[in-house]
Amino acid sequence: MGKTPSLNLLKGTKTIEDTVNYVCLKEGEGDHEHESLSAGARFFHEPGFNVYILTKIGAKSSFDINRTKAYLIQMIDNYPCFSQVVVKDKESGSMKWVPSHVNIDDHLVVPEIEQNMDSSDQFIEDYISNLTVSCIDNLKPLWDVHILNTRTSDAQGTCIFRAHHSLGDGLSFMSMLLSLSRKASDPEALPTLPMNMKAHHHTTTATNVISFCMVLWNTFVALMLFVFTTMFLKDTETPMKASPGVEDRRRRIVTRSVSLADIKLVKNAMNATVNDVIVGVIQAGFNRYLKRRYEEINSPVPENILLRAMISYNLRASVNVDASAKNTNENETWGYKVGYILLPFNVKHRSDPLDYVREAKSTMERRKASLEPFATRFFAKSLVNKLFGMKIAGKLNRNVYYNTTFCFSNMPGPKEEICVLGHEVTYLAPSLYGMPSGLMIHVISYVDNVTFVLSADEKTIPDPRRLCDDLQQSLHHIKCSVLAKSCVEN
């Protein structure tokens, strides 16, 4: 098997010193010339929270390097943050974005690859795994692109786009990526998203006094649970819960695609949403995975397991893709506009697989009838930060991830095939590393498929592909139950 090329970006343990330039700013310097980092961006420069967004893109052809460079130059022109470095004053602790010269060749990594290797898929996985214990040189803007032109089972070429999370949230990067993309069927047209015209807000409208009081009560309960989680409320210690130091350990990022039609079949039969079905599938998959892990250590599965996901929730008024958008204060898409939801996952065994979806639907409906993401954002980003400062706020924010079991996000992707960086795409797989969580699951739709992207700490989840199998089999059983019930009724 071909060996993974050595990475000159490897820095060992990821710390704040690896991603920030430290200087002594003169009094008044940068107050007007340079933009200060937002509170959301500052969180990702606190110790133990050095997080990178990593998006894997498969293409139907090998990536042309010159064409890729042309699109990256366009990206820098439209999004100035990709030409800025982070500078921190040693004395005051303030952080600012400072414009910097960008040499595209410093951000584009094209390693020499042995074409006759035993497994290109394993090579790509190992290469990405090496990236998860590295960070980007702090003397240049915190992003890079890796081109791996080797044929795999699902692509002719692979592009890995990596950027520090302080540059923007997940939806910002997805919007940026899509603004540089076009429909494969129409090179002049932007991609179409399932919800391209309005926000993805779920909060139920309070139409009367009773429903209004219910929204307030649900919001209060959710906020109190969030506050307790920042201080002492921990999930059950299961084989899926990470140990301290997880943010600095090597990760495996694996993917598994399933049919969007199968998920919609279940959705329509149960009068649910796509997200309800996905949450139900994950609950069922976790049940299968935990049962096997406990059997391996000859231990019964504990009763009443508390297992929760930390979810970042988009608070934007619009999710439009704008080809001319720039990362400025006037751009609604860019920046940090997210709240938090703590979502419990019921992993008890259910004789009827459809019960997992029913419980997920019930749980999500309670979350919709609240203002939880707005309340948690106010608490985490505004109240605590202003009262106690960034250090305390950062520590409490990390505690939420330490005290829960995993992170979860679900994002609708393009409805038709697209070209990214001038190349027709077979799949999109966004993920993270550096987060203080043992498992992160990102779900994204693309054309007719839904892809589960697992970023797993090797010590916590040593067999992420088996967990992918559990998720796929769980969807199959839920779908078969729907079909069987439909046959009986008919």
Side-chain angles (χ1 to χ4, degrees):
M1 181 182 297
K3 296 182 179 180
T4 303
S6 61
L7 300 174
N8 58 5
L9 301 172
L10 289 177
K11 300 288 184 179
T13 302
K14 299 180 291 294
T15 66
I16 184 65
E17 286 78 6
D18 294 322
T19 55
V20 178
N21 291 306
Y22 278 81
V23 299
C24 292
L25 296 174
K26 298 178 181 179
E27 185 176 356
E29 181 181 352
D31 291 344
H32 302 289
E33 297 88 342
H34 309 312
E35 181 183 357
S36 297
L37 272 67
S38 66
R42 282 285 282 108
F43 272 127
F44 294 104
H45 288 290
E46 288 300 304
F49 215 65
N50 192 24
V51 183
Y52 284 83
I53 295 176
L54 188 151
T55 301
K56 180 183 174 188
I57 305 169
K60 293 185 177 181
S61 62
S62 297
F63 280 87
D64 181 270
I65 303 305
N66 291 329
R67 185 186 303 176
T68 300
K69 286 183 180 181
Y71 276 90
L72 293 179
I73 291 172
Q74 181 183 346
M75 177 190 75
I76 294 170
D77 290 340
N78 287 349
Y79 297 88
C81 72
F82 291 101
S83 61
Q84 297 174 333
V85 296
V86 179
V87 172
K88 181 174 182 178
D89 183 5
K90 286 184 176 180
E91 297 180 357
S92 67
S94 63
M95 285 187 175
K96 296 183 182 295
W97 294 111
V98 177
S100 173
H101 173 72
V102 177
N103 182 349
I104 290 295
D105 292 329
D106 291 339
H107 295 266
L108 187 60
V109 182
V110 188
E112 293 184 3
I113 300 175
E114 179 186 341
Q115 296 301 320
N116 297 321
M117 63 183 72
D118 294 336
S119 173
S120 297
D121 293 87
Q122 188 63 47
F123 166 79
I124 298 291
E125 182 180 315
D126 291 342
Y127 188 96
I128 294 175
S129 181
N130 279 351
L131 285 179
T132 66
V133 288
S134 72
C135 58
I136 297 173
D137 190 344
N138 63 353
L139 298 178
K140 63 183 182 181
L142 298 175
W143 65 273
D144 58 21
V145 173
H146 298 249
I147 301 297
L148 306 177
N149 278 330
T150 182
R151 183 178 181 179
T152 60
S153 60
D154 48 13
Q156 294 292 326
T158 303
C159 171
I160 303 167
F161 181 87
R162 179 173 64 154
H164 197 263
H165 212 331
S166 61
L167 295 176
D169 60 25
L171 189 59
S172 297
F173 283 102
M174 182 57 66
S175 178
M176 179 276 294
L177 188 66
L178 295 179
S179 73
L180 299 175
S181 307
R182 295 297 183 268
K183 294 181 181 180
S185 59
D186 184 357
E188 301 300 322
L190 285 169
T192 303
L193 295 180
M195 300 182 322
N196 203 39
M197 299 308 295
K198 58 183 180 180
H200 188 48
H201 294 333
H202 288 307
T203 305
T204 300
T205 302
T207 56
N208 53 52
V209 174
I210 294 178
S211 62
F212 178 72
C213 292
M214 184 60 66
V215 168
L216 291 181
W217 173 252
N218 289 341
T219 302
F220 174 77
V221 172
L223 179 59
M224 288 300 99
L225 288 174
F226 185 85
V227 173
F228 294 157
T229 303
T230 65
M231 297 186 292
F232 60 84
L233 182 59
K234 297 182 179 181
D235 281 7
T236 306
E237 294 290 339
T238 68
M240 296 183 68
K241 194 164 188 310
S243 58
V246 62
E247 63 271 18
D248 293 324
R249 294 200 291 261
R250 184 182 300 273
R251 306 185 77 88
R252 285 281 162 182
I253 297 180
V254 299
T255 62
R256 182 65 53 86
S257 293
V258 298
S259 170
L260 178 58
D262 288 348
I263 291 178
K264 287 185 174 181
L265 172 69
V266 178
K267 173 187 83 76
N268 295 333
M270 303 190 68
N271 192 27
T273 66
V274 169
N275 195 56
D276 294 338
V277 178
I278 289 173
V279 172
V281 168
I282 293 176
Q283 290 186 148
F286 281 6
N287 170 264
R288 299 171 62 88
Y289 183 78
L290 282 173
K291 181 181 178 181
R292 182 173 58 251
R293 290 289 299 271
Y294 277 106
E295 286 176 349
E296 291 173 354
I297 59 175
N298 296 318
S299 175
V301 180
E303 295 289 335
N304 302 318
I305 290 177
L306 177 61
L307 191 156
R308 295 171 297 167
M310 177 67 166
I311 301 176
S312 296
Y313 186 93
N314 173 43
L315 300 178
R316 291 171 174 82
S318 171
V319 289
N320 290 343
V321 177
D322 184 355
S324 62
K326 295 179 182 291
N327 65 316
T328 62
N329 293 331
E330 291 75 23
N331 180 11
E332 171 68 16
T333 302
W334 201 264
Y336 286 90
K337 298 179 176 65
V338 295
Y340 304 108
I341 292 178
L342 292 180
L343 187 67
F345 278 64
N346 192 334
V347 296
K348 289 183 178 179
H349 176 71
R350 295 288 182 263
S351 57
D352 182 0
L354 298 184
D355 284 343
Y356 290 110
V357 179
R358 295 188 184 102
E359 291 174 354
K361 179 182 177 181
S362 176
T363 300
M364 294 306 297
E365 286 178 347
R366 286 195 299 271
R367 287 302 189 273
K368 294 171 189 177
S370 78
L371 300 172
E372 179 179 359
F374 298 91
T376 54
R377 175 183 171 85
F378 173 77
F379 174 79
K381 296 290 178 66
S382 300
L383 184 61
V384 175
N385 188 25
K386 291 181 179 179
L387 290 178
F388 303 105
M390 180 57 66
K391 294 296 182 183
I392 299 298
K395 185 177 186 302
L396 294 177
N397 191 51
R398 289 194 302 277
N399 284 349
V400 178
Y401 291 91
Y402 285 134
N403 293 340
T404 53
T405 301
F406 75 110
C407 301
F408 170 68
S409 75
N410 180 18
M411 182 180 298
K415 296 168 61 176
E416 61 278 295
E417 292 187 343
I418 64 172
C419 292
V420 174
L421 302 178
H423 299 79
E424 197 166 345
V425 169
T426 60
Y427 66 85
L428 296 169
S431 191
L432 296 172
Y433 71 87
M435 194 77 81
S437 181
L439 175 65
M440 289 168 271
I441 299 180
H442 294 78
V443 183
I444 184 170
S445 61
Y446 179 60
V447 194
D448 298 326
N449 289 325
V450 170
T451 300
F452 291 83
V453 187
L454 276 59
S455 174
D457 166 41
E458 291 185 331
K459 183 177 179 180
T460 307
I461 310 289
D463 48 358
R465 292 199 176 278
R466 295 183 71 182
L467 179 53
C468 287
D469 293 339
D470 293 329
L471 296 174
Q472 189 171 28
Q473 292 172 15
S474 295
L475 174 60
H476 175 72
H477 291 159
I478 291 172
K479 171 191 170 184
C480 289
S481 296
V482 166
L483 294 175
K485 180 179 179 181
S486 177
C487 289
V488 171
E489 290 178 350
N490 292 331

